[in-house]
């Protein structure tokens, strides 16, 4: 029975569109890479849905279905808020993030079959281009909102674009790896390392450094001997800095576990070499997302929902306690035992006293009142003033 349901869920999951979010440092060839994979998918008769999130770019060599520049004027934002370039990009993203629900509605309409138009082609790939200032997108609140919103609806993969020729030295390679590591653990999404510009320099050296510790040590020793770290002659046994060599050596050991969670692909955005391998890695990471990342995202979402529910219940409890105290004091003023005039029949017994006050307690019973309130509010779930309408509800009940 379990296997049948599992097969059904996997067949449904297989039809999901995959969102590929391209991030990379300025000059890494990210926009050219976006152009290449977009053209590749069009060549495969599988046109993607393209989103441009860079408000400062003047021209892009591909057509975007959703473009932040259509909604936010970057230069006007800088002028109105008296901001610099990075502040303008960040504020533009913050403004655009307010439209995330509309974006998701558009994506969902294009990625699910249309019953009224069965011949309409369903989108299978969503490509997202981001600003070259990585920190503005990855570490901002708006970037987190956009990524989490995408991941809540589609399998989402981060493609980290690396400039291969600039990564030939051990120090710049390690800097890129640390940057990628921080992005991976900040976004908590599966990642593919894309070594771009392989037509200029092959990426085999980087793959070897990530899988063979001894190979990286040899390259590190070579850089030290060639004074690549700018040290004083004679330090560290060679021409380089002994401290830098020791630091890079320690970090390479630390990142071995990190490397095991990555897919590495060499791509040339100019020639198209390696694009097929990239999309094969995307499919693998999409399956990994469904298997490992989505349960964690759902668990975190459930925790947030539970926390909100507990907060609402706590606020309601405080309100009920306050109403109980107020109604209790007013009841004491209204229900008053008769004065003793010597007539035994008029002297209330203990049982009579309890019964009279029991009626009042039943009428003002907090749990019963809360149950009636919640039942009344169930019919109007969409109201955003549930707590505010409680006093009015209580007033009508007493009538």
């Amino acid at each position: 029975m379990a296997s049948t349901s599992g097969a059904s869920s996997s067949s449904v999951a297989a039809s999901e569109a995959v969102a590929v979010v391209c991030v990379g440092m300025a000059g890494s060839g990210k926009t050219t890479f976006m152009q290449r994979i977009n053209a590749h998918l069009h060549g495969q008769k599988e046109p993607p849905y393209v989103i441009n999130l860079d408000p400062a770019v003047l021209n892009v060599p591909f057509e975007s279905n959703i473009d932040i520049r259509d909604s936010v004027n970057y230069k006007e934002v800088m002028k109105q808020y008296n901001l610099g370039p990075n502040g303008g990009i960040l504020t533009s993203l913050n403004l655009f993030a307010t439209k995330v629900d509309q974006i998701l509605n558009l994506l969902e309409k294009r990625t699910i079959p249309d019953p009224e138009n069965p011949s309409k082609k369903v989108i299978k790939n969503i490509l997202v281009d981001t600003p070259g200032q990585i920190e503005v997108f990855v570490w901002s609140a708006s970037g987190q909102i956009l990524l989490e919103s995408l991941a809540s609806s589609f399998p989402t993969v981060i493609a980290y674009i690396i400039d291969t020729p600039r990564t030939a030295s051990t120090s710049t390679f390690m800097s890129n790896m640390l940057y990628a590591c921080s992005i991976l653990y900040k976004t908590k999404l599966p990642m593919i390392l894309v070594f771009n510009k392989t037509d200029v320099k092959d990426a085999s050296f980087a793959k070897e450094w990530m899988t063979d510790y001894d190979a990286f040590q040899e390259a590190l020793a070579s850089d030290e001997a060639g004074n690549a770290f700018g040290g004083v002659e004679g330090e560290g046994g060679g021409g380089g800095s002994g401290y830098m060599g020791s630091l890079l050596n320690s970090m390479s050991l630390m990142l071995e576990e990190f490397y095991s969670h990555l897919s590495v692909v060499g791509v040339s955005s100019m020639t198209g070499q390696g694009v097929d391998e990239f999309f094969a890695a995307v499919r693998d990471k999409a399956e990994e997302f469904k298997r490992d990342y989505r349960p964690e995202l759902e668990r975190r979402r459930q925790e947030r929902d539970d926390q909100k529910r507990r907060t609402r219940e706590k606020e309601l409890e405080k309100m009920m306690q306050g109403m109980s105290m107020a109604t209790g004091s007013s009841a004491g003023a209204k229900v008053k035992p008769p004065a003793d005039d010597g007539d035994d029949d008029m002297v209330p017994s203990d049982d009579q006293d309890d019964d009279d006050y029991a009626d009042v307690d039943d009428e003002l019973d907090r749990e019963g009142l809360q149950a009636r309130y919640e039942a009344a509010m169930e019919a109007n779930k969409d109201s955003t003033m549930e707590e505010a309408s409680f006093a009015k509800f209580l007033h009508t009940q007493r009538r």
Side-chain angles (χ1 to χ4, degrees):
M1 189 72 176
S3 61
T4 303
S5 61
S8 176
S9 62
S10 64
S11 63
V12 173
S15 63
E16 288 184 289
V18 180
V20 179
V21 181
C22 297
V23 299
M25 296 184 184
S28 61
K30 179 169 53 61
T31 301
T32 311
F33 174 75
M34 276 283 298
Q35 179 190 18
R36 172 57 63 181
I37 60 177
N38 179 42
H40 176 82
L41 290 172
H42 276 280
Q44 299 291 323
K45 307 300 181 184
E46 293 289 348
Y49 202 87
V50 181
I51 302 175
N52 173 44
L53 295 180
D54 189 351
V57 66
L58 294 177
N59 298 295
V60 289
F62 50 83
E63 186 176 349
S64 302
N65 299 94
I66 297 177
D67 197 325
I68 187 174
R69 297 175 299 169
D70 296 335
S71 303
V72 182
N73 189 321
Y74 165 69
K75 291 185 178 179
E76 197 63 30
V77 168
M78 290 176 60
K79 184 185 300 182
Q80 288 187 9
Y81 294 95
N82 194 27
L83 299 170
N86 287 343
I89 294 174
L90 179 58
T91 305
S92 298
L93 281 170
N94 289 339
L95 294 171
F96 187 72
T98 61
K99 303 178 181 293
V100 67
D101 291 337
Q102 300 175 33
I103 296 170
L104 289 180
N105 288 336
L106 289 171
L107 292 175
E108 288 171 359
K109 287 179 182 178
R110 295 302 307 274
T111 54
I112 59 176
D114 186 358
E116 297 180 358
N117 188 8
S119 61
K120 186 177 181 180
K121 200 168 185 63
V122 175
I123 298 296
K124 295 183 180 179
N125 294 279
I126 302 167
L127 306 182
V128 183
D129 193 16
T130 61
Q133 292 80 352
I134 301 179
E135 66 281 357
V136 170
F137 179 77
V138 176
W139 279 274
S140 67
S142 54
Q144 183 177 0
I145 290 170
L146 292 166
L147 282 176
E148 288 187 353
S149 300
L150 271 177
S152 67
S153 301
F154 309 100
T156 304
V157 178
I158 301 292
Y160 181 61
I161 317 301
I162 299 173
D163 188 341
T164 306
R166 293 184 182 177
T167 317
S169 70
T170 52
S171 57
T172 53
F173 171 81
M174 190 56 63
S175 298
N176 260 303
M177 294 302 103
L178 290 174
Y179 220 122
C181 181
S182 65
I183 293 173
L184 175 68
Y185 288 107
K186 178 66 174 66
T187 61
K188 296 181 174 62
L189 293 171
M191 176 182 285
I192 302 173
L193 292 186
V194 181
F195 284 89
N196 196 15
K197 306 182 183 179
T198 54
D199 54 309
V200 178
K201 183 173 180 60
D202 189 75
S204 58
F205 73 95
K207 296 178 182 178
E208 185 181 17
W209 287 354
M210 295 176 68
T211 56
D212 189 342
Y213 176 76
D214 293 333
F216 183 78
Q217 293 304 303
E218 291 177 6
L220 183 59
S222 176
D223 283 349
E224 284 185 309
N227 198 19
F229 306 136
V232 180
E233 286 291 339
E235 280 190 12
S241 167
Y243 169 75
M244 278 296 296
S246 176
L247 177 63
L248 293 176
N249 184 29
S250 300
M251 287 193 295
S252 66
L253 284 171
M254 178 195 70
L255 291 176
E256 279 189 331
E257 180 66 21
F258 166 66
Y259 294 152
S260 64
H261 291 84
L262 298 176
S263 293
V264 183
V265 180
V267 173
S268 171
S269 298
M270 292 299 294
T271 65
Q273 178 186 359
V275 173
D276 288 325
E277 289 81 356
F278 170 74
F279 280 105
V282 168
R283 289 190 293 270
D284 291 341
K285 288 299 178 182
E287 292 301 321
E288 182 181 331
F289 176 91
K290 299 169 192 173
R291 183 182 66 250
D292 301 330
Y293 287 80
R294 177 170 283 166
E296 176 64 16
L297 290 173
E298 291 176 350
R299 183 189 65 78
R300 286 158 52 195
R301 189 183 305 114
Q302 185 63 42
E303 286 181 355
R304 288 195 298 268
D305 292 343
D306 291 343
Q307 181 62 35
K308 290 179 182 177
R309 178 180 53 80
R310 287 193 295 268
T311 301
R312 284 197 302 267
E313 290 177 353
K314 191 174 181 180
E315 292 174 354
L316 182 60
E317 182 74 13
K318 288 181 180 179
M319 185 179 295
M320 297 303 300
Q321 289 176 356
M323 296 304 301
S324 176
M325 292 174 62
T327 53
S329 61
S330 61
K334 290 181 180 179
V335 182
K336 185 176 181 181
D340 185 0
D341 60 356
D343 188 349
D344 291 340
D345 293 337
M346 294 300 293
V347 178
S349 65
D350 293 339
D351 294 337
Q352 181 182 355
D353 229 358
D354 292 341
D355 290 341
D356 289 342
Y357 282 96
D359 292 340
V360 176
D361 290 340
D362 287 341
E363 180 64 22
L364 300 171
D365 176 70
R366 182 162 57 86
E367 294 181 357
L369 188 60
Q370 181 174 354
R372 295 197 302 277
Y373 170 62
E374 292 176 350
M377 296 313 299
E378 185 70 17
N380 190 22
K381 284 184 177 179
D382 294 336
S383 174
T384 58
M385 296 294 291
E386 293 182 3
E387 286 84 1
S389 63
F390 176 74
K392 181 177 178 181
F393 168 79
L394 180 63
H395 180 68
T396 57
Q397 289 295 305
R398 288 185 187 170
R399 290 179 181 175

